Amino acid sequence: MAPSMLASSIFLPVMALLLPFSPTIAFHTSPLTSSASSSRLYKSSSPSDSSDESISRREFNAFGFALALGLPAASMNSMYTRTPSDYPLWPLLPVGPYKRKKTIFNTVVPDSIYTLEQKFGILNVQVPIRSTIVALKGGGLFVYDPVAPTKEATAMIDDLVKKHGPVKHVVLGSVAIEHKVYAGIFSQKYPEAAVWVQPGQYAFPNDLPLEFVGFPRGTRMIPSSMDPEVYPEDWKRSGLEYATLGPFISRDGAFGETVFYHGPTKTLLVTDTVVEVSKEVPAIFADDPAPLLYHARDTVSDIVEDSEDVRQRGWMRIVLFGLFFNPKDIDVKETDVALRERRPDINPDFAGIYPWVGFLFCLQYSLSCMQVHFFIFFNCLINCIGLGGRQGCLFF
């Protein structure tokens, strides 16, 4: 067993008890200061009353135990970083594409809006996860929903820093784990930046402070309103408005999101509140189409050749899995049957297991229906958050 695998086998069970989990899977989005400013340690899931609730000795000891195992694990794993796309801290959230997180850079609006894209997912249901960077008026960068800070990704940010100035604001606009787990580590790369998080952050089963899951001291909750006394001057000067949905907190988890509207470019930035369903395969899959080929099969014994049509079929099926936990038109095999019929010689992913027989529906019809629902939902959203009537592009 490789040292990195051995370290992970020790590290993951412990971190599973401490990491914040979210009930949502992203398809592709209080007080002003956090409790970090105090000398005591406080929980972070209830912004309105977090200053009244301290961390228990059991929770503190659990964190210390995990830290004792986790730091050596991360250190051992980092020795095996081979390419700029490798992310040595991937065991913190062990999901696809695991260690190698390729990043692509896009210019959306020249000199104003940029994006970094990676992939994220489980069971080869990998979808784009995206960070948006806004060039602030007067200099500096506003980073919304950071992706994994690989050497490749931070080099892209550093190129923007040379052009527009330093990273001034790092904003986590969601409570979802797939965004939260990267935002804290990313913000440590830019210690001079102000760090803002969506209200309603939580951890399970131990509700730990933000500082215990990677965020720097001084991390602040996004202000509940654009009151001039708390509204950052950089945002106001750059035409950045925002509205917050939630947080909606239950015993099963939470949902909350802050969306931003960039007036000068008429761009709306969202995380998970709006989902785009596109027929085109996202460009991030050009580097590694394996998830597309895995899902393009109808049966476990199908052999598919890589082609544009095959990739598109695989993408449309990933869309369905990404939006629905249990699509009724998919015939799922019994566990013993799936194990008995596995074919690692045809496709080695997940030990050759392909646990469904096929897709008993018209893919094109399903995609068209989802696209219609997307536009209806979007029209409802922009009116609910007070941005109705403004024309521009939707970006997430």
Side-chain angles (χ1 to χ4, degrees):
M1 180 180 292
S4 60
M5 295 177 63
L6 176 61
S8 297
S9 67
I10 300 173
F11 177 52
L12 291 178
V14 178
M15 289 308 296
L17 298 176
L18 296 170
L19 282 175
F21 289 94
S22 167
T24 62
I25 297 178
F27 183 78
H28 140 293
T29 160
S30 66
L32 175 61
T33 58
S34 75
S35 56
S37 60
S38 171
S39 59
R40 297 176 66 194
L41 298 176
Y42 297 110
K43 299 186 179 182
S44 61
S45 65
S46 302
S48 61
D49 62 359
S50 62
S51 59
D52 296 327
E53 207 170 351
S54 60
I55 291 296
S56 69
R57 178 174 297 180
R58 174 182 175 276
E59 292 171 330
F60 185 82
N61 289 340
F63 173 77
F65 179 65
L67 186 65
L69 292 178
L71 288 180
S75 298
M76 292 178 68
N77 194 48
S78 66
M79 293 189 298
Y80 290 85
T81 300
R82 302 298 188 190
T83 74
S85 297
D86 287 351
Y87 184 57
L89 296 179
W90 69 268
L92 292 174
L93 187 63
V95 296
Y98 307 103
K99 184 177 180 180
R100 185 173 182 273
K101 300 184 184 298
K102 175 67 178 176
T103 307
I104 60 174
F105 175 88
N106 289 296
T107 298
V108 180
V109 180
D111 299 320
S112 295
I113 307 288
Y114 309 91
T115 65
L116 302 181
E117 277 191 28
Q118 296 175 355
K119 285 190 300 183
F120 167 89
I122 58 176
L123 298 178
N124 265 346
V125 181
Q126 295 183 19
V127 296
I129 186 169
R130 180 179 295 155
S131 176
T132 309
I133 302 97
V134 179
L136 297 170
K137 186 175 182 180
L141 299 172
F142 172 99
V143 181
Y144 180 75
D145 288 345
V147 292
T150 62
K151 291 182 179 179
E152 182 179 46
T154 54
M156 295 171 179
I157 294 287
D158 292 343
D159 287 341
L160 292 178
V161 167
K162 295 175 184 177
K163 182 175 183 179
H164 296 289
V167 175
K168 289 188 174 181
H169 298 274
V170 176
V171 179
L172 172 62
S174 171
V175 300
I177 179 63
E178 60 268 27
H179 299 285
K180 181 177 181 178
V181 74
Y182 300 131
I185 306 301
F186 180 94
S187 62
Q188 293 180 26
K189 302 285 186 180
Y190 304 95
E192 301 302 317
V195 183
W196 307 84
V197 299
Q198 159 73 24
Q201 300 296 326
Y202 71 102
F204 174 85
N206 291 331
D207 199 2
L208 301 174
L210 290 170
E211 293 84 353
F212 277 27
V213 289
F215 287 87
R217 290 180 60 85
T219 296
R220 291 169 277 189
M221 295 293 167
I222 297 172
S224 58
S225 68
M226 293 191 295
D227 187 314
E229 294 186 3
V230 296
Y231 184 34
E233 183 61 32
D234 280 348
W235 300 3
K236 180 179 180 181
R237 184 172 58 245
S238 300
L240 278 167
E241 305 174 51
Y242 67 90
T244 297
L245 178 65
F248 305 108
I249 301 174
S250 71
R251 65 179 183 179
D252 299 317
F255 179 84
E257 185 167 321
T258 297
V259 302
F260 284 82
Y261 179 77
H262 186 240
T265 60
K266 299 181 179 179
T267 303
L268 182 66
L269 283 65
V270 306
T271 307
D272 298 327
T273 308
V274 178
V275 174
E276 179 186 20
V277 178
S278 64
K279 183 178 180 181
E280 295 75 22
V281 178
I284 188 66
F285 283 97
D287 175 70
D288 176 22
L292 304 176
L293 305 184
Y294 179 86
H295 285 289
R297 296 177 294 165
D298 290 321
T299 68
V300 67
S301 59
D302 279 359
I303 299 177
V304 296
E305 299 293 335
D306 189 6
S307 68
E308 184 175 340
D309 290 341
V310 167
R311 291 191 182 194
Q312 187 179 69
R313 184 166 72 247
W315 168 241
M316 294 169 75
R317 292 177 176 181
I318 285 176
V319 166
L320 189 72
F321 276 116
L323 293 179
F324 301 98
F325 284 111
N326 188 22
K328 69 180 182 65
D329 290 320
I330 295 179
D331 188 6
V332 181
K333 298 178 182 179
E334 296 293 335
T335 302
D336 60 331
V337 175
L339 290 173
R340 187 169 60 251
E341 294 181 351
R342 66 189 186 91
R343 292 293 302 273
D345 56 317
I346 292 180
N347 191 307
D349 287 1
F350 307 105
I353 297 173
Y354 193 73
W356 33 82
V357 173
F359 291 72
L360 310 177
F361 56 84
C362 175
L363 286 173
Q364 187 62 49
Y365 175 76
S366 298
L367 183 64
S368 299
C369 289
M370 287 186 284
Q371 288 174 323
V372 169
H373 284 97
F374 156 68
F375 286 117
I376 293 174
F377 186 73
F378 169 60
N379 288 333
C380 293
L381 170 73
I382 61 175
N383 283 287
C384 288
I385 64 176
L387 298 175
R390 304 188 183 186
Q391 295 182 348
C393 60
L394 169 68
F395 185 75
F396 47 95

